[in-house]
Amino acid sequence: MNLNLITQKFTKIFPGDFSGNTMQRQTPEVMFCTVKPAHFNDAELIDFNEKLSEEIGLGKIEDQTDKDFLVAQNLPENIETYATAYAGHQFGNWAGQLGDGRAIFAGEIINKNRQTEIQWKGAGATPYSRNADGRAVLRSSIREYLMSEAMYHLGVPTTRALSLSKTGEDVIRDIQYSGNPQKEQGAVVVRTAESFLRFGHFELLSARKQNELLKQLADYSIENFFPEVQSENNSSKYIDWFQAICDRTLRMIIHWYRVGFVHGVMNTDNMSILGLTIDYGPFSMMDGYDLEFTPNTTDLPGRRYAFGKQAQISHWNLAALANAIFPLINNQEVLEKILDGFGRQFWVKHDQMLAQKFGFDEVLAEDEKFFTEWQQMMQDLNLDYTLFFQNLEKPISEFKVEDFKDAFYRNLNENELKKLSDFIEKYRQRKLKNKISESESFQLMSKTNPKFVLRNFLLFEAIQAAENGNYEMFFQLKKALENPYEILYPEFNQKRPSKYDNQTGSSQLSCSS
Ligand code: AMP
Ligand code: MG
């Protein structure tokens, strides 16, 4: 690997604490601290994403130094590792300083003008670990490793995963926070993104009233990651930038709704300034359609981050970001206008996305009613989101209610079956208004509606096997997720079996990772 190409651009520009002291503490003057990763003597590489490595300019694994790099051991001298400080609003409340508690940066690499930041997740404690150990367990590392790649192949903006290794170390976790801590296998994921900058990085500087640094970080972000914002001689540069952040966030959220992804912890520290899906924790693909669905047991009382609330919460988070960057813009009216635009644009883009899922060539005036009725039916009947749309991909003359049975999570009564058949009839009528041919409509549907989604129960099964040393299913899932618009493994193309309805680690997840 070309480890010599890794640079330390960020740490050269911004103020940092180079003491290497990992004591957990507030770091009021600086934006990062250098830290040393933990020692892992028995680490074992499970999987390496060579294609991604080539793309970003790191190349193939050649020797022991490369293998060591993937678990943050015996690093070459040019790599000075660090953790960054950020803040955030968690579940609606200001949480103050947070920071990379178990993510450690290697730096950036530039290939073909594209910059990529590289991090280890789970490689040790930092000043921002907040009384925790800075480690990650195999279970959550497999989830992040596979899901971030699944999202990438689905076409959703996301951070990516370069490698997954076991550290050889045991980690203690209490999955259900029930006073039953257990030993689990430790793991490290190397993850990459053009940038890991979060809303929280800006919130921190703003809260500290470090307006000069705030401006500097905004400029860094615009120059490096926002080619769509004109950075020179542009008096509305920061306004355009905020607009671009809103646009990118909107794009991401629409994709989440398209594929049925629920993030689970949309705190502002988990929101990427670049509009990437970031920090895969208690996420889930939605099985049965339910706007109130959240996999995160910590969020169950308020369901703040439920599937149906993700647009609203993005708006809330963008408003928090607007507050943070206010000193750069000093114009409340213009910020409010952009935020209002987000709300309006959401519905326009959402309807366009739904139209594609249904195979319509355009959104007609009558479709708002059609989509609302569809949503109500899905909610009432709790049909499987992914399988429902797969079932629509056939000639309208052949539709039968029985064909939708594979998407039922319970026996539907007569009334409910009638609701479904009434809807199918409406769909048939609506499809007749298409100006494109039936085959063109199918093409549109088959590139919009995934045939494979990485459901939590599949992850759960693969993790159980992996914890016992069997990685067969892990590698099958990896292959399936690389081709999500095809059916490679029919056994993965099924609804969640009922035995997983209330299973911890499948339908219920905590933040313990
Ligand atoms: P999350 O809810 O996973 O986004 O985490 C919130 C904050 O807690 C972040 O600053 C994380 O870096 C930190 N954190 C979570 N788990 C750990 C851990 N095991 N060790 C250290 N820091 C952690
Ligand atoms: Mg986080």
Side-chain angles (χ1 to χ4, degrees):
M1 290 165 90
N2 306 313
L3 301 180
N4 57 325
L5 297 183
I6 294 177
T7 55
Q8 319 261 240
K9 196 162 144 186
F10 186 86
T11 57
K12 288 207 175 79
I13 299 175
F14 297 105
D17 175 337
F18 289 85
S19 68
N21 177 2
T22 51
M23 190 184 75
Q24 290 157 30
R25 62 191 189 275
Q26 294 289 313
T27 59
E29 306 301 327
V30 299
M31 288 167 63
F32 66 90
C33 294
T34 58
V35 288
K36 289 270 172 280
H39 291 292
F40 303 121
N41 297 322
D42 282 317
E44 185 192 329
L45 179 66
I46 296 166
D47 195 37
F48 175 63
N49 189 343
E50 190 175 286
K51 208 163 160 221
L52 173 63
S53 192
E54 297 275 16
E55 267 171 45
I56 65 175
L58 269 182
K60 295 184 175 46
I61 298 178
E62 276 150 19
D63 50 25
Q64 191 57 41
T65 311
D66 294 346
K67 285 188 190 145
D68 284 351
F69 170 78
L70 297 175
V71 278
Q73 303 299 294
N74 305 317
L75 296 171
E77 266 179 16
N78 61 306
I79 299 177
E80 185 160 28
T81 48
Y82 60 96
T84 68
Y86 53 80
H89 281 85
Q90 300 191 312
F91 296 94
N93 302 308
W94 175 241
Q97 177 186 292
L98 298 165
D100 297 315
R102 52 171 169 175
I104 298 182
F105 276 91
E108 322 82 5
I109 184 163
I110 295 172
N111 187 39
K112 298 184 187 129
N113 289 326
R114 208 180 99 198
Q115 173 173 327
T116 307
E117 293 177 359
I118 303 165
Q119 285 189 342
W120 298 272
K121 186 165 175 180
T126 78
Y128 309 109
S129 293
R130 303 191 302 154
N131 298 323
D133 55 8
R135 307 297 203 270
V137 293
L138 183 61
R139 152 177 68 84
S140 60
S141 304
I142 289 179
R143 284 171 56 82
E144 168 139 13
Y145 187 79
L146 291 180
M147 195 66 207
S148 60
E149 286 301 295
M151 292 288 265
Y152 170 76
H153 291 286
L154 281 166
V156 185
T158 178
T159 62
R160 297 201 60 189
L162 186 73
S163 70
L164 170 68
S165 308
K166 286 205 283 186
T167 59
E169 195 189 65
D170 284 337
V171 175
I172 309 292
R173 288 290 182 273
D174 183 358
I175 304 190
Q176 298 182 59
Y177 302 121
S178 58
N180 288 312
Q182 308 264 325
K183 264 195 208 163
E184 293 196 51
Q185 299 170 61
V188 168
V189 168
V190 179
R191 57 181 192 177
T192 72
E194 197 181 356
S195 171
F196 286 97
L197 278 177
R198 300 147 192 266
F199 288 14
H201 280 103
F202 296 89
E203 289 181 285
L204 179 69
L205 297 176
S206 187
R208 288 181 186 163
K209 305 208 178 340
Q210 292 170 325
N211 289 354
E212 203 36 54
L213 277 180
L214 181 68
K215 183 167 171 291
Q216 222 183 318
L217 188 63
D219 287 339
Y220 176 83
S221 150
I222 293 167
E223 274 154 35
N224 289 288
F225 314 121
F226 284 84
E228 69 267 46
V229 175
Q230 198 191 322
S231 58
E232 276 168 50
N233 302 322
N234 178 4
S235 58
S236 64
K237 174 167 76 168
Y238 301 116
I239 296 171
D240 296 352
W241 175 58
F242 183 64
Q243 178 71 60
I245 296 166
C246 289
D247 292 347
R248 289 195 192 190
T249 305
L250 180 62
R251 182 164 173 265
M252 171 184 83
I253 296 294
I254 295 291
H255 277 293
W256 288 6
Y257 281 115
R258 174 175 65 84
V259 301
F261 177 78
V262 192
H263 182 283
V265 208
M266 293 175 71
N267 293 329
T268 55
D269 52 299
N270 291 337
M271 294 290 291
S272 146
I273 205 87
L274 274 61
L276 306 172
T277 313
I278 191 172
D279 278 13
Y280 290 83
F283 64 82
S284 179
M285 298 304 289
M286 183 172 63
D287 298 315
Y289 191 89
D290 179 7
L291 295 165
E292 288 282 297
F293 170 67
T294 174
N296 183 356
T297 48
T298 316
D299 188 31
L300 280 177
R303 296 181 190 271
R304 180 178 170 85
Y305 300 139
F307 179 68
K309 293 206 187 122
Q310 297 184 118
Q312 205 183 315
I313 282 297
S314 303
H315 185 271
W316 192 96
N317 288 339
L318 285 162
L321 178 66
N323 272 328
I325 63 170
F326 184 78
L328 306 179
I329 294 172
N330 278 312
N331 186 336
Q332 194 174 334
E333 211 175 308
V334 82
L335 285 168
E336 275 171 5
K337 213 167 138 206
I338 296 174
L339 285 167
D340 286 350
F342 178 92
R344 270 194 312 278
Q345 273 295 308
F346 171 75
W347 287 110
V348 174
K349 302 271 184 204
H350 184 262
D351 285 0
Q352 285 169 355
M353 177 275 290
L354 271 186
Q356 288 184 2
K357 283 182 82 70
F358 280 108
F360 301 156
D361 55 345
E362 58 179 338
V363 180
L364 302 178
E366 68 196 56
D367 286 341
E368 201 179 305
K369 184 160 173 275
F370 176 82
F371 293 149
T372 310
E373 286 177 1
W374 164 76
Q375 201 171 44
Q376 192 60 52
M377 179 202 64
M378 292 295 281
Q379 183 74 26
D380 293 347
L381 274 48
N382 191 228
L383 301 181
D384 189 88
Y385 187 53
T386 305
L387 294 174
F388 174 82
F389 279 102
Q390 278 179 35
N391 283 325
L392 291 185
E393 242 176 274
K394 61 164 121 35
I396 41 175
S397 54
E398 291 172 19
F399 275 136
K400 286 197 267 346
V401 168
E402 301 85 75
D403 295 342
F404 286 82
K405 271 206 167 131
D406 62 354
F408 293 180
Y409 280 98
R410 53 182 161 84
N411 287 327
L412 301 187
N413 63 31
E414 239 171 74
N415 242 337
E416 292 171 325
L417 288 171
K418 183 162 183 318
K419 247 188 211 175
L420 178 57
S421 62
D422 286 352
F423 176 80
I424 291 170
E425 184 49 36
K426 274 182 201 149
Y427 179 56
R428 202 197 307 265
Q429 303 282 343
R430 169 62 185 84
K431 238 192 156 179
L432 293 173
K433 295 180 184 157
N434 253 358
K435 290 193 206 68
I436 50 173
S437 69
E438 196 156 52
S439 76
E440 282 170 314
S441 170
F442 289 152
Q443 270 174 27
L444 187 62
M445 291 169 88
S446 70
K447 66 176 191 203
T448 312
N449 299 317
K451 300 283 179 305
F452 172 80
V453 290
L454 189 54
R455 297 174 190 262
N456 266 355
F457 87 84
L458 295 171
L459 277 165
F460 178 76
E461 288 182 355
I463 288 166
Q464 280 206 319
E467 285 176 340
N468 292 311
N470 177 351
Y471 285 84
E472 194 183 341
M473 187 169 175
F474 169 90
F475 286 109
Q476 284 175 348
L477 289 180
K478 200 183 151 212
K479 200 153 167 215
L481 66 83
E482 284 169 4
N483 302 283
Y485 297 98
E486 287 165 38
I487 298 179
L488 291 188
Y489 297 93
E491 69 269 32
F492 294 156
N493 189 38
Q494 52 155 322
K495 68 184 174 193
R496 184 190 65 239
S498 57
K499 64 177 173 181
Y500 292 121
D501 284 355
N502 295 305
Q503 175 70 53
T504 302
S506 173
S507 52
Q508 297 180 359
L509 295 142
S510 72
C511 290
S512 165
S513 56

